[in-house]
Amino acid sequence: QLQASGGGLVQPGGSLRLSCAASGSIFSINAMGWFRQAPGKQRELVASITSGGSTNYADSVKGRFTISGDNAKNTVYLQMNSLKPEDTAVYSCYGQIQQRVGEPTYAYWGQGTLVTVSS
């Protein structure tokens, strides 16, 4: 349902862009976003965006990360700039998706993608 891509190894101060595409039976998507989990730490919400374009960011990434969406492609992007070693984590995308008219909205998850920030 959700396919994430774009992780990798980057030096401190560098940039990466993550993508997450939703596919399959989709009537509507209320919101999409990204969580991350670093080793030994709890999972945290990084950024989210609603179908109307409202965004939300963790304080730790404000001013450095930008989330955007392409409704026509059912895809969300996370542009990560000025990356720091503490951004190293497995990033997972999610989507609040209604598959068919009249059905409830459920949260779906993509596979995680590893982002490593290191010199």
Side-chain angles (χ1 to χ4, degrees), residues 68-101:
S68 60
D70 185 332
N71 290 341
K73 296 182 178 180
N74 293 328
T75 299
V76 65
Y77 306 96
L78 184 67
Q79 178 66 42
M80 305 185 293
N81 298 328
S82 302
L83 282 161
K84 304 175 180 180
E86 50 264 43
D87 294 317
T88 295
V90 174
Y91 287 69
S92 301
C93 66
Y94 77 94
Q96 295 176 348
I97 298 172
Q98 182 184 20
Q99 286 194 298
R100 299 173 186 83
V101 176

Short mmCIF file of all heavy atoms in Angstrom, two decimals, residues 68-101:
data_model
loop_
_atom_site.label_atom_id
_atom_site.label_comp_id
_atom_site.label_asym_id
_atom_site.label_seq_id
_atom_site.Cartn_x
_atom_site.Cartn_y
_atom_site.Cartn_z
N SER A 68 5.80 17.79 1.87
CA SER A 68 4.90 18.24 0.81
C SER A 68 4.19 17.02 0.23
O SER A 68 4.62 15.89 0.42
CB SER A 68 5.68 18.98 -0.28
OG SER A 68 6.66 18.13 -0.86
N GLY A 69 3.12 17.29 -0.46
CA GLY A 69 2.34 16.19 -1.01
C GLY A 69 1.89 16.44 -2.42
O GLY A 69 1.75 17.60 -2.84
N ASP A 70 1.70 15.38 -3.16
CA ASP A 70 1.14 15.44 -4.51
C ASP A 70 -0.12 14.59 -4.48
O ASP A 70 -0.05 13.36 -4.55
CB ASP A 70 2.16 14.90 -5.52
CG ASP A 70 1.69 15.04 -6.96
OD1 ASP A 70 0.46 15.05 -7.19
OD2 ASP A 70 2.54 15.14 -7.85
N ASN A 71 -1.27 15.24 -4.37
CA ASN A 71 -2.53 14.51 -4.23
C ASN A 71 -2.82 13.64 -5.45
O ASN A 71 -3.38 12.56 -5.34
CB ASN A 71 -3.68 15.49 -4.00
CG ASN A 71 -3.63 16.13 -2.63
OD1 ASN A 71 -2.97 15.63 -1.71
ND2 ASN A 71 -4.31 17.25 -2.47
N ALA A 72 -2.44 14.13 -6.63
CA ALA A 72 -2.72 13.38 -7.86
C ALA A 72 -1.94 12.07 -7.89
O ALA A 72 -2.39 11.08 -8.47
CB ALA A 72 -2.39 14.22 -9.07
N LYS A 73 -0.77 12.07 -7.26
CA LYS A 73 0.07 10.87 -7.24
C LYS A 73 -0.02 10.11 -5.94
O LYS A 73 0.66 9.10 -5.76
CB LYS A 73 1.53 11.26 -7.51
CG LYS A 73 1.78 11.86 -8.88
CD LYS A 73 3.26 12.17 -9.07
CE LYS A 73 3.53 12.74 -10.46
NZ LYS A 73 4.98 13.05 -10.65
N ASN A 74 -0.84 10.59 -5.01
CA ASN A 74 -0.94 9.96 -3.68
C ASN A 74 0.43 9.76 -3.06
O ASN A 74 0.75 8.69 -2.51
CB ASN A 74 -1.68 8.61 -3.78
CG ASN A 74 -3.13 8.77 -4.15
OD1 ASN A 74 -3.77 9.76 -3.80
ND2 ASN A 74 -3.67 7.81 -4.88
N THR A 75 1.25 10.78 -3.16
CA THR A 75 2.64 10.70 -2.72
C THR A 75 2.97 11.85 -1.78
O THR A 75 2.50 12.97 -1.98
CB THR A 75 3.58 10.72 -3.93
OG1 THR A 75 3.30 9.59 -4.76
CG2 THR A 75 5.04 10.66 -3.50
N VAL A 76 3.76 11.54 -0.77
CA VAL A 76 4.24 12.55 0.14
C VAL A 76 5.77 12.55 0.11
O VAL A 76 6.39 11.49 -0.08
CB VAL A 76 3.72 12.30 1.57
CG1 VAL A 76 4.27 11.02 2.16
CG2 VAL A 76 4.03 13.48 2.48
N TYR A 77 6.34 13.73 0.25
CA TYR A 77 7.78 13.89 0.21
C TYR A 77 8.26 14.53 1.51
O TYR A 77 7.56 15.37 2.09
CB TYR A 77 8.20 14.78 -0.96
CG TYR A 77 7.67 14.32 -2.29
CD1 TYR A 77 6.51 14.87 -2.82
CD2 TYR A 77 8.33 13.33 -3.02
CE1 TYR A 77 6.00 14.44 -4.03
CE2 TYR A 77 7.84 12.90 -4.24
CZ TYR A 77 6.68 13.46 -4.74
OH TYR A 77 6.18 13.03 -5.96
N LEU A 78 9.45 14.17 1.93
CA LEU A 78 10.08 14.82 3.08
C LEU A 78 11.46 15.28 2.65
O LEU A 78 12.36 14.46 2.45
CB LEU A 78 10.17 13.86 4.27
CG LEU A 78 10.72 14.48 5.56
CD1 LEU A 78 9.72 15.52 6.10
CD2 LEU A 78 10.99 13.41 6.61
N GLN A 79 11.59 16.58 2.46
CA GLN A 79 12.88 17.16 2.12
C GLN A 79 13.61 17.47 3.41
O GLN A 79 13.11 18.24 4.25
CB GLN A 79 12.70 18.44 1.30
CG GLN A 79 14.00 19.14 0.95
CD GLN A 79 14.87 18.32 0.00
OE1 GLN A 79 14.36 17.72 -0.95
NE2 GLN A 79 16.16 18.29 0.27
N MET A 80 14.77 16.86 3.58
CA MET A 80 15.53 17.01 4.82
C MET A 80 16.84 17.72 4.51
O MET A 80 17.67 17.21 3.76
CB MET A 80 15.81 15.63 5.43
CG MET A 80 14.55 14.81 5.68
SD MET A 80 14.86 13.25 6.53
CE MET A 80 15.80 12.39 5.28
N ASN A 81 16.98 18.92 5.05
CA ASN A 81 18.19 19.72 4.85
C ASN A 81 18.93 19.90 6.18
O ASN A 81 18.37 19.67 7.25
CB ASN A 81 17.83 21.08 4.28
CG ASN A 81 17.16 20.99 2.93
OD1 ASN A 81 17.44 20.09 2.13
ND2 ASN A 81 16.26 21.93 2.65
N SER A 82 20.17 20.32 6.09
CA SER A 82 20.99 20.57 7.28
C SER A 82 20.92 19.39 8.24
O SER A 82 20.72 19.57 9.45
CB SER A 82 20.52 21.85 7.98
OG SER A 82 20.58 22.96 7.10
N LEU A 83 21.11 18.22 7.71
CA LEU A 83 20.97 17.01 8.52
C LEU A 83 22.05 16.93 9.60
O LEU A 83 23.19 17.37 9.40
CB LEU A 83 21.02 15.77 7.63
CG LEU A 83 19.71 15.50 6.88
CD1 LEU A 83 19.94 14.58 5.70
CD2 LEU A 83 18.68 14.90 7.82
N LYS A 84 21.64 16.40 10.73
CA LYS A 84 22.51 16.26 11.88
C LYS A 84 22.65 14.78 12.23
O LYS A 84 21.75 13.99 11.92
CB LYS A 84 21.92 17.00 13.08
CG LYS A 84 21.64 18.47 12.83
CD LYS A 84 20.94 19.09 14.04
CE LYS A 84 20.64 20.56 13.82
NZ LYS A 84 19.95 21.17 15.00
N PRO A 85 23.72 14.41 12.92
CA PRO A 85 23.85 13.00 13.33
C PRO A 85 22.64 12.51 14.13
O PRO A 85 22.26 11.34 14.01
CB PRO A 85 25.12 13.00 14.18
CG PRO A 85 25.93 14.11 13.59
CD PRO A 85 24.94 15.17 13.22
N GLU A 86 22.02 13.40 14.90
CA GLU A 86 20.87 12.98 15.69
C GLU A 86 19.62 12.73 14.85
O GLU A 86 18.60 12.28 15.38
CB GLU A 86 20.56 14.00 16.80
CG GLU A 86 20.47 15.43 16.33
CD GLU A 86 21.77 16.19 16.53
OE1 GLU A 86 22.86 15.63 16.24
OE2 GLU A 86 21.69 17.36 16.95
N ASP A 87 19.68 13.02 13.56
CA ASP A 87 18.57 12.68 12.67
C ASP A 87 18.66 11.22 12.20
O ASP A 87 17.73 10.73 11.53
CB ASP A 87 18.56 13.59 11.43
CG ASP A 87 18.27 15.03 11.77
OD1 ASP A 87 17.36 15.27 12.59
OD2 ASP A 87 18.95 15.91 11.23
N THR A 88 19.74 10.56 12.53
CA THR A 88 19.90 9.16 12.15
C THR A 88 18.80 8.32 12.77
O THR A 88 18.61 8.33 13.99
CB THR A 88 21.27 8.63 12.60
OG1 THR A 88 22.30 9.33 11.90
CG2 THR A 88 21.39 7.14 12.32
N ALA A 89 18.08 7.60 11.93
CA ALA A 89 16.94 6.81 12.39
C ALA A 89 16.35 6.04 11.21
O ALA A 89 16.70 6.30 10.05
CB ALA A 89 15.86 7.71 13.00
N VAL A 90 15.46 5.14 11.54
CA VAL A 90 14.62 4.51 10.52
C VAL A 90 13.36 5.36 10.38
O VAL A 90 12.65 5.59 11.36
CB VAL A 90 14.25 3.07 10.90
CG1 VAL A 90 13.26 2.49 9.89
CG2 VAL A 90 15.50 2.20 10.96
N TYR A 91 13.13 5.83 9.18
CA TYR A 91 11.98 6.69 8.90
C TYR A 91 10.88 5.84 8.25
O TYR A 91 11.13 5.15 7.26
CB TYR A 91 12.39 7.82 7.97
CG TYR A 91 13.22 8.88 8.65
CD1 TYR A 91 14.52 8.62 9.06
CD2 TYR A 91 12.70 10.16 8.89
CE1 TYR A 91 15.28 9.58 9.70
CE2 TYR A 91 13.46 11.13 9.53
CZ TYR A 91 14.74 10.83 9.93
OH TYR A 91 15.50 11.79 10.56
N SER A 92 9.69 5.96 8.81
CA SER A 92 8.54 5.20 8.30
C SER A 92 7.43 6.16 7.92
O SER A 92 7.12 7.07 8.67
CB SER A 92 8.04 4.22 9.35
OG SER A 92 9.04 3.30 9.73
N CYS A 93 6.82 5.92 6.77
CA CYS A 93 5.71 6.76 6.36
C CYS A 93 4.39 6.10 6.72
O CYS A 93 4.31 4.88 6.87
CB CYS A 93 5.77 7.07 4.87
SG CYS A 93 5.51 5.66 3.78
N TYR A 94 3.39 6.92 6.87
CA TYR A 94 2.06 6.41 7.14
C TYR A 94 1.04 7.21 6.34
O TYR A 94 1.31 8.33 5.90
CB TYR A 94 1.74 6.49 8.63
CG TYR A 94 1.37 7.88 9.09
CD1 TYR A 94 0.04 8.30 9.16
CD2 TYR A 94 2.36 8.79 9.45
CE1 TYR A 94 -0.28 9.58 9.55
CE2 TYR A 94 2.04 10.07 9.84
CZ TYR A 94 0.72 10.47 9.90
OH TYR A 94 0.40 11.75 10.30
N GLY A 95 -0.14 6.63 6.18
CA GLY A 95 -1.23 7.34 5.53
C GLY A 95 -2.54 6.99 6.19
O GLY A 95 -2.78 5.83 6.56
N GLN A 96 -3.36 7.98 6.40
CA GLN A 96 -4.73 7.76 6.90
C GLN A 96 -5.62 7.66 5.68
O GLN A 96 -5.95 8.67 5.06
CB GLN A 96 -5.14 8.89 7.83
CG GLN A 96 -4.31 8.96 9.09
CD GLN A 96 -4.67 10.16 9.96
OE1 GLN A 96 -5.37 11.06 9.53
NE2 GLN A 96 -4.16 10.17 11.18
N ILE A 97 -5.99 6.43 5.32
CA ILE A 97 -6.59 6.15 4.03
C ILE A 97 -7.99 5.54 4.19
O ILE A 97 -8.20 4.64 5.00
CB ILE A 97 -5.69 5.19 3.22
CG1 ILE A 97 -4.33 5.84 2.97
CG2 ILE A 97 -6.35 4.81 1.89
CD1 ILE A 97 -3.30 4.92 2.34
N GLN A 98 -8.91 6.06 3.37
CA GLN A 98 -10.23 5.46 3.23
C GLN A 98 -10.22 4.73 1.89
O GLN A 98 -10.07 5.35 0.84
CB GLN A 98 -11.32 6.53 3.26
CG GLN A 98 -12.73 5.97 3.17
CD GLN A 98 -13.78 7.06 3.11
OE1 GLN A 98 -13.49 8.21 2.77
NE2 GLN A 98 -15.02 6.72 3.43
N GLN A 99 -10.37 3.43 1.93
CA GLN A 99 -10.23 2.66 0.70
C GLN A 99 -11.47 2.73 -0.18
O GLN A 99 -11.36 2.77 -1.40
CB GLN A 99 -9.90 1.21 1.03
CG GLN A 99 -8.47 1.00 1.50
CD GLN A 99 -8.08 -0.46 1.50
OE1 GLN A 99 -8.67 -1.27 2.21
NE2 GLN A 99 -7.08 -0.81 0.69
N ARG A 100 -12.63 2.76 0.43
CA ARG A 100 -13.88 2.77 -0.35
C ARG A 100 -14.89 3.66 0.33
O ARG A 100 -14.84 3.90 1.53
CB ARG A 100 -14.43 1.35 -0.49
CG ARG A 100 -13.50 0.39 -1.21
CD ARG A 100 -14.00 -1.04 -1.17
NE ARG A 100 -13.04 -1.96 -1.74
CZ ARG A 100 -12.01 -2.45 -1.07
NH1 ARG A 100 -11.81 -2.12 0.19
NH2 ARG A 100 -11.17 -3.29 -1.66
N VAL A 101 -15.81 4.16 -0.45
CA VAL A 101 -16.87 5.02 0.08
C VAL A 101 -17.61 4.29 1.19
O VAL A 101 -17.98 3.11 1.03
CB VAL A 101 -17.85 5.42 -1.04
CG1 VAL A 101 -19.00 6.24 -0.46
CG2 VAL A 101 -17.13 6.21 -2.12
#
